[in-house]
Amino acid sequence: SSCPSWTFALVLALYMRPVHLASTDFCQRNGSTAVLLSQAEQKTVKSGIGDTVLDFMPADKEGLAIVVTPSNSSMNPDMRLYALSQDSTCHSVLTSQEVGGDYLHVDEALTITSKATRYYLHISCREEVRCHYHIAFSKAVDADQWQEILEGSRKSGVAYHGVPSHFVFDCGDACKEALNRGDAERLTFSAWPRDATSTKHLTLLVRHGGIPTTDARQHLKAKRGWFSGEVVSTVAEPGRYYITVLKRHGLSPLPFVLSVTLPKSLQQLELGKPTFGA
């Protein structure tokens, strides 16, 4: 179904920020590897070692998700995305320097804002010069299809390398009431592995009113949580919060639990199973 024009305008406005002019050296196909994104396939997977440059055409309206997962916790690749515009200028559009895995979302609004004709993805290693990592390009999941999570509830999932897990939380009456009272109530998002001994860390990305990524401008700050999980605490605002759980490193699946709570939330406890607060 087609979305109303005002919805597209709102999404576009979220991306209307200055794009930074960069040297055309960052948008050169010489030394770059082209990534062919097939319309028939849901995912394109590659492995990488050391600094790499990949180039690709803008995706369709569904958008594109890019996930880089290092093979272990000692490796820390970063992503920088540049757009070659219609007038042959090169612009820096997204940067991800998160510890461990990185996730970027390239959608139609970003392509329109940057006037991109082609994208160039630069992956560089911070600590180890020849870090090993897994790269996944996939069609972005429409936000309307994200799993809904309710206040005071928990959701279970499995974090796979290259596959972001998406959730959405609508902060309705409880947030409106707190706002009307003038209370600065804290809304807390928590994600942690089911295995208490796990050293495979999770990355928790939360954003109010927009899709979160590991670009520092596109998610709320998280702190270390239970075991190797993360916690995001913010003043509750009415509206929709988008939540993404990402595998920070390693290639084996990692079961996890996600919860969303307000100070007065009532949580259902399961007998015989440990339950942790935020």
Side-chain angles (χ1 to χ4, degrees), residues 14 176 241:
L14 292 173
K176 290 178 183 177
Y241 287 84

Side-chain angles (χ1 to χ4, degrees), residues 87-125:
D87 61 1
S88 298
T89 54
C90 185
H91 301 276
S92 172
V93 289
L94 292 173
T95 300
S96 177
Q97 295 177 294
E98 196 76 15
V99 174
D102 293 282
Y103 163 56
L104 294 179
H105 179 254
V106 183
D107 66 0
E108 186 181 28
L110 180 62
T111 299
I112 292 173
T113 302
S114 61
K115 300 179 181 179
T117 58
R118 197 166 196 88
Y119 286 109
Y120 290 81
L121 179 67
H122 290 245
I123 303 174
S124 58
C125 301

Side-chain angles (χ1 to χ4, degrees), residues 125-203:
C125 301
R126 240 186 286 177
E127 280 80 13
E128 294 195 15
V129 177
R130 292 182 60 79
C131 64
H132 293 240
Y133 47 85
H134 171 278
I135 314 165
F137 294 82
S138 60
K139 291 183 179 179
V141 179
D142 190 281
D144 292 336
Q145 299 176 14
W146 290 22
Q147 294 184 61
E148 184 179 8
I149 184 169
L150 302 177
E151 175 218 338
S153 68
R154 293 183 294 169
K155 284 278 188 180
S156 296
V158 179
Y160 298 94
H161 66 279
V163 184
S165 299
H166 299 301
F167 304 86
V168 64
F169 169 67
D170 284 310
C171 199
D173 294 340
C175 287
K176 290 178 183 177
E177 291 171 4
L179 188 67
N180 292 335
R181 292 195 307 268
D183 294 341
E185 290 195 347
R186 306 296 295 183
L187 180 62
T188 302
F189 303 84
S190 302
W192 65 92
R194 280 196 172 276
D195 181 359
T197 64
S198 173
T199 58
K200 300 178 178 63
H201 301 292
L202 295 169
T203 295

